[in-house]
Amino acid sequence: MKIRLIGKNLEELSRVTLELGLPKFTARQMASWLYVKKVRTIDEMTNLSKAARAALNGKYEVGVQSPLTVMQSSDGTRKYLFPVRCAHSRELNWSSSRDEGLEEAAIEAVMIPDGDRATLCVSSQSGCRMNCRFCMTGRQGFHGNLSAADIISQFIAIDESDQLTNTVFMGMGEPLDNYDNVMRAIEILTADWGFGWSPKRITLSTIGVIPALKRYLDQTRCNLAVSLHNPIPAERLSMMPAEKAFPVRDVLALIRQYDFSGQRRVSFEYTMFAGFNDDKAHADALWRLLKGLECRINLIRFHKIPDFPYESSSQVVMENFRDRLNRLGITTTIRASRGEDILAACGLLAGEHAAKTEQR
């Protein structure tokens, strides 16, 4: 099986040229073909000599993975299902390896159009270790980390690749649990030899994996979104087991050490469950937890999943919750619900695919 070029950074592409005896400048040419022109085959790299392309084809391939299925919502949202082969150990970085011996799985990416914006919600793992009770991805267990190749492939393989303006690492998996490969993907997205995106076009969503979160805040200028969902620790723990290892108060203590008054933003994701976290007491506790921090709260309608006891809060309750927080001085908005008719909540489509595969 050939080694994928997609997902390699400039230094790794330089090592490929050295290995094959190609001119050093070939690395930048390959990077341009991979990440700017977004070719699917080595033979399309026409400013490389025929001998260079033949040498590359002997051992390497571009490695963009086409989607298995595409679903389109009535609101224009599109959901893609991709096959992947991923490493089950989070300590292993497979971005430069062959795919031999890796676990086969399926992951999702969701493209969300909004006026002149097109945002890709990208996955970083197959399944997830965090086991949040309200998350379909977490219910599937952990199947493996995605390589940088599989992450970047999601940006290139979708039909809207050239129209993308933003991305959120908010798909399947906890991005900071696959730190090295996510950071490699961010490097490719922001480098001048890569996609050339501004860091402000990228947001990473996390439950708050503290050691990796500190590295992310130190090493990037990208935006941060924290999955909070309940300001009361015991109640948050009942929904999010990671609260035990990474208490939200410790996450907040770390975040307060950084400046979010400039271009980099921090926001807090708050899924609202009727009768659980949506009353005045929770709004006030949320304000006390976040007061003084330059941030935004995004209130999220809950998309119902099987065998889960809670429903989404009503529109009136959400509006009252939003208005109280805004009066208290924290900018709060209700996120528009997108793609519900195509199971846009991450994990639903991949779960169905896994179930069908097991039945064969």
Side-chain angles (χ1 to χ4, degrees), residues 297-313:
I297 299 172
N298 294 316
L299 304 181
I300 302 169
R301 294 177 182 84
F302 175 58
H303 287 194
K304 182 68 175 174
I305 62 175
D307 303 318
F308 184 76
Y310 290 100
E311 303 279 347
S312 181
S313 302

Side-chain angles (χ1 to χ4, degrees), residues 258-270:
Y258 295 83
D259 179 16
F260 290 96
S261 61
Q263 288 193 334
R264 179 159 68 173
R265 302 184 305 275
V266 60
S267 59
F268 293 88
E269 309 300 311
Y270 197 92

